[in-house]
Amino acid sequence: MTPPSTGLKVFSGTSHPSLAQEVCDQIGIPLGRASTKRFSNENLKIRIEENVREQDVFVVQTACPPLSEHIVELLIMLDALKHASAKRVTAVIPYFPYARSDKKDEPRISISARLMADLLATSGADRVLTMDLHSPQIQGFFSIPADQLTGVPALCDRLKHEDLTNTVIVAADVGEAKDAGRFAKRLELPLALIDKRRYGDDENAKPAHIIGDIAGKDCLLVDDEIATGGTLFNATDFLLERGARSVSAAVVHPVLSGKAAEKLKASRLKRLLVTNTLPIPAASLSSKIEVLSLAPQLATAIRHIHDGSSVSELFS
Ligand code: R5P
């Protein structure tokens, strides 16, 4: 990348420092210095350890465990930067917290994704940069500009190097149909859809029907996130029982909650391609997982935002 114009700084919360460092390396600037102290009453003190007056500042923090800690840390950092007279502060949140709580589908519940958006703006964020929101409408929750990047083109570029002659893209559920269509279009492959049923808060959703031709095919399941893994592992068995030759998956957000990593090792899923929007603990890695870095995409978007050039052109 060409050297950045002056006034651009990138800081990191404690959720994913290696991604923040990679973004800085791509841009060609050092990671901003900040320190965190935790008091005996669990209150946090975050101090920005360098001058940010009149600077264009980006803070990288993703929504991984301990989730509430990381959210509060980000909010305090934004506030500290605002009070340190940063000219503009952008919260860079590769995996957005509470993105699945985006509607009031039961009585007396919070639309928590909207609450997160409000908290970011209240804490001093002037903009948000995020990736593959669970539903794109969440962008409408923000009173400040929110740019949404997607990991789909990078995943497709990676997959293009493989022999895909017998492959069919399979959407893990109908909600994923649009993104699956993007994979199918970019890779020039046929598409199939799984009709997945989830009952209430049951995290173990079950595939009910398949729409499309998968018999004898190498299925590439696509989904926005893998949380407990229930969706992908059940879909794998479902597809193999219906005659698929093999099943692999490409997923943007590797949430890998609960026992997902162990279940992956034991599952019949041949391979899982994910991105690094969340850190994956070493113990959860296995020969079945390949992690693709989205630091180049984030760095480019940060440069575009800083220079005032189009971010949407990055998708073309
Ligand atoms: C659901 O609507 C999403 O697209 C994913 O399929 C879901 O979040 C994956 O969760 P899990 O891995 O727990 O089945």
Side-chain angles (χ1 to χ4, degrees), residues 217-244:
K217 300 281 186 184
D218 296 313
C219 293
L220 180 69
L221 276 164
V222 298
D223 209 346
D224 59 334
E225 67 175 59
I226 170 167
T228 63
T231 299
L232 287 188
F233 306 143
N234 290 338
T236 300
D237 291 340
F238 180 81
L239 292 169
L240 290 171
E241 279 153 24
R242 275 154 190 79

